[in-house]
Amino acid sequence: MISTPVLGVIVLIYLMIIFYLGMLGYKKTKEIDDYMVAGRHINPYILALSYGATFISTSAIIGFGGAAGALGMGLLWLAVMNIIVGILIAFVFFGSRTRRMGLRLKAVTFPELLGRRFQSRFIQGFSGALIGVFMPLYAGIVLIGGARFVEATLGINYDVAVLLLTVIVAAYVITGGLIAVMYTDALQGAFMFVGMLVLLTLTYIKLGGITEAHQTLTAMTPLVPDSLAAGGHLGWTAMPALGSPIWWTLVSTLILGVGIGVLAQPQLAVRFMTVENDRALNRAVLVGGPFILMMTGVAFIVGSLSNAFFYKTEGLISVAVVGGNTDLIIPQYINDAMPETFVILFMLTLLAAAMSTLSSQYHTMGTSIGHDFYRQFVKKGEVGKTVNITRLGIATTILISVILAYILPISIIARATAIFFGLCAAAFLPMYAGALFWPRMTKEGATASLLVGTFASLFWLGFVHAKEAVPLGICKFIFGTDTLLTGTWTVVDPILVATPLAAIVAVVVSYMTEPTPTEHIKRCYGK
């Protein structure tokens, strides 16, 4: 725990820069395109850093780093997925088509892109409502990650830390729109890159070098707790036993849930519409790839190696040191293992990660409620004070996310992230991919896919997937049993069931209904 005048000065300077960038964004926000899609003239390098900083939050660093502390380096497969799917496929294939179609249809949000492609106010309104209702869960766990580190580092009460983070982020998002968000994201992304690079270097120095550190961790395999070993845990440098409950959790929920779900994240997809041309997207890949590798790879490696440090210094593995709350592993490790000067730097790194993701989430939730649901669905496109309604939507979802940050249970960050990413994949991905790549997809097919993906995912979460179904208790209340299915099904993530089902429904219904008029297809695809 640290408390120095130097820290106060550094944080003050950092916040002054953030608010300056927010004010810059406010001054440049004159039209609705400025507020929603940053005027479509964002520099590719700012795009790459903003995308990466939005994608990688305290959820990745604190939540998934903590999960690696418990489950081991098998999570590095998620880093591979993040680069291949979240950067290469997202930018090169989805990004270019999203940018072009968004420009042709004059769409300024992700739900509006889908709604205009399929000529459906229902799709736009339902998508906006879905984001407004469920994204606060994601925002809430990002708040938890940032607040837990501030709590552990400065000794500030957790509840106070949540409020401080919220007020700071809300101040520049509500006023400055997406321009302010992307400017501040870029700065915060640079802080994050430096902080994680230093963290990795100091960790290996602390443990005697790369080879020594990994050999020590491998030799600790006999120390895996009986409860984890029974679930298939084979050590922190090995994948869990194939087909075991922990293997299914690691692969289907954490690796595939987030690795595939990233393609359908509204707050990320909208960034493709902020640049002028495809060349800017290709340039962004060169920055985004190394950035994501550094952010996720370091978090997963350090989280796993924290076991070696804690066993060396306290004779305990990481989960035991933090009393079972995996969300505290990274904060505890940083404060115990790192020099005080670095703790200050890393606190800024975590603040940057939390603030960059939160700002994008709040902006996306606000535009989904104000623009997509209220203006386009409720008011049927009536011109009005959309920006003001959007700002009200931001304020409302901020309040909900703060409440969730207070009431959600321990060790929730990684799991809640995977829940939201998986829900987005099931609800949006088949429809989004069809919108971009398959002109034959119809409005009816897209609508069916959206509804089936959404409710199949929620059903699986509430009635089959044990991690959520058991604590929710809905299935127990209605049917008298914890889950409707038993055995392996209870550890299979909803993304592996709901997303293929939504895709099949999209294809079948599209072929059963009349094709979209040719003139609209030409408008969408430029053919």
Side-chain angles (χ1 to χ4, degrees):
M1 189 180 300
I2 60 173
S3 180
T4 66
V6 175
L7 174 61
V9 172
I10 291 174
V11 173
L12 181 61
I13 293 172
Y14 173 71
L15 293 179
M16 287 173 64
I17 295 172
I18 292 296
F19 281 115
Y20 168 75
L21 292 173
M23 184 59 66
L24 199 61
Y26 175 75
K27 290 180 178 179
K28 290 189 175 184
T29 301
K30 297 180 175 63
E31 306 291 340
I32 191 169
D33 273 18
D34 298 329
Y35 195 88
M36 300 292 193
V37 290
R40 303 187 195 269
H41 296 293
I42 285 292
N43 180 282
Y45 303 112
I46 290 180
L47 166 66
L49 288 173
S50 175
Y51 180 96
T54 299
F55 181 16
I56 304 302
S57 65
T58 51
S59 168
I61 300 172
I62 299 296
F64 282 81
L71 303 179
M73 291 192 180
L75 263 174
L76 284 171
W77 283 109
L78 176 55
V80 174
M81 288 285 290
N82 287 338
I83 294 169
I84 295 175
V85 178
I87 297 295
L88 292 177
I89 293 177
F91 275 77
V92 176
F93 296 101
F94 280 71
S96 58
R97 287 176 176 258
T98 299
R99 186 199 67 79
R100 292 197 295 269
M101 187 174 289
L103 185 61
R104 292 187 189 109
L105 299 179
K106 293 181 169 51
V108 295
T109 67
F110 179 69
E112 186 166 65
L113 175 75
L114 299 174
R116 292 193 174 183
R117 158 62 178 87
F118 295 110
Q119 298 177 296
S120 170
R121 291 193 189 279
F122 173 79
I123 287 177
Q124 183 173 353
F126 186 88
S127 299
L130 191 67
I131 293 166
V133 170
F134 288 99
M135 190 175 276
L137 171 66
Y138 187 20
I141 55 98
V142 173
L143 271 175
I144 290 174
R148 286 299 183 197
F149 190 81
V150 172
E151 175 193 34
T153 304
L154 301 180
I156 294 176
N157 179 272
Y158 171 75
D159 296 341
V160 175
V162 168
L163 286 177
L164 284 175
L165 276 176
T166 304
V167 169
I168 291 169
V169 176
Y172 66 83
V173 178
I174 292 176
T175 56
L178 194 57
I179 296 178
V181 168
M182 294 188 74
Y183 282 177
T184 52
D185 281 355
L187 173 67
Q188 290 158 344
F191 269 115
M192 292 162 63
F193 189 91
V194 173
M196 296 300 278
L197 177 61
V198 176
L199 174 62
L200 181 66
T201 303
L202 291 180
T203 295
Y204 279 129
I205 291 174
K206 180 72 68 172
L207 295 175
I210 297 175
T211 303
E212 179 69 22
H214 288 265
Q215 287 178 345
T216 299
L217 190 61
T218 301
M220 291 176 61
T221 299
L223 299 175
V224 172
D226 292 341
S227 58
L228 291 177
H233 199 308
L234 299 179
W236 290 277
T237 56
M239 285 290 288
L242 182 65
S244 65
I246 290 179
W247 185 90
W248 277 106
T249 297
L250 180 65
V251 174
S252 72
T253 300
L254 300 182
I255 296 176
L256 295 180
V258 177
I260 294 175
V262 64
L263 284 176
Q265 288 296 293
Q267 73 278 17
L268 298 180
V270 74
R271 274 158 173 70
F272 300 138
M273 294 190 277
T274 64
V275 292
E276 288 187 277
N277 51 49
D278 292 350
R279 185 172 56 186
L281 290 171
N282 294 332
R283 287 178 179 174
V285 171
L286 300 177
V287 176
F291 180 84
I292 296 296
L293 175 62
M294 180 60 66
M295 295 299 104
T296 56
V298 170
F300 305 157
I301 290 172
V302 170
S304 301
L305 290 175
S306 67
N307 288 282
F309 171 79
F310 286 126
Y311 187 69
K312 179 180 178 181
T313 57
E314 301 186 35
L316 298 170
I317 63 172
S318 300
V319 173
V321 170
V322 298
N325 186 355
T326 58
D327 295 342
L328 291 176
I329 289 177
I330 293 295
Q332 188 73 46
Y333 170 74
I334 298 296
N335 280 280
D336 288 2
M338 297 292 112
E340 181 176 306
T341 303
F342 177 75
V343 175
I344 297 173
L345 171 64
F346 200 76
M347 192 186 75
L348 293 180
T349 300
L350 263 295
L351 282 174
M355 291 167 65
S356 58
T357 301
L358 285 169
S359 62
S360 298
Q361 290 170 331
Y362 291 154
H363 181 270
T364 301
M365 289 186 288
T367 56
S368 296
I369 292 172
H371 183 76
D372 298 308
F373 180 73
Y374 178 77
R375 179 185 175 184
Q376 297 297 333
F377 183 66
V378 176
K379 291 294 186 178
K380 307 299 182 185
E382 179 183 318
V383 177
K385 296 182 178 179
T386 305
V387 172
N388 290 336
I389 298 296
T390 295
R391 287 169 174 162
L392 179 61
I394 292 173
T396 302
T397 51
I398 286 173
L399 178 61
I400 297 171
S401 65
V402 169
I403 294 172
L404 288 172
Y406 288 146
I407 65 175
L408 287 171
I410 64 171
S411 300
I412 190 63
I413 295 178
R415 186 150 53 96
T417 303
I419 289 173
F420 180 74
F421 274 59
L423 176 61
C424 286
F428 298 136
L429 186 55
M431 176 175 58
Y432 179 35
L436 298 180
F437 300 101
W438 190 35
R440 183 62 180 80
M441 181 178 272
T442 64
K443 176 173 72 173
E444 294 80 7
T447 303
S449 175
L450 173 62
L451 294 176
V452 168
T454 299
F455 292 109
S457 182
L458 293 176
F459 174 82
W460 201 265
L461 285 169
F463 293 90
V464 179
H465 198 241
K467 284 283 189 179
E468 293 77 36
V470 173
L472 284 174
I474 300 173
C475 187
K476 182 77 171 179
F477 177 77
I478 297 175
F479 298 105
T481 181
D482 286 335
T483 57
L484 290 181
L485 300 179
T486 58
T488 301
W489 289 113
T490 63
V491 290
V492 174
D493 194 79
I495 193 174
L496 295 183
V497 177
T499 307
L501 184 60
I504 292 170
V505 167
V507 173
V508 172
V509 174
S510 290
Y511 276 122
M512 292 174 62
T513 51
E514 288 294 320
T516 306
T518 304
E519 54 271 21
H520 182 67
I521 291 298
K522 288 180 178 179
R523 183 184 173 210
C524 291
Y525 297 93
K527 296 179 181 178

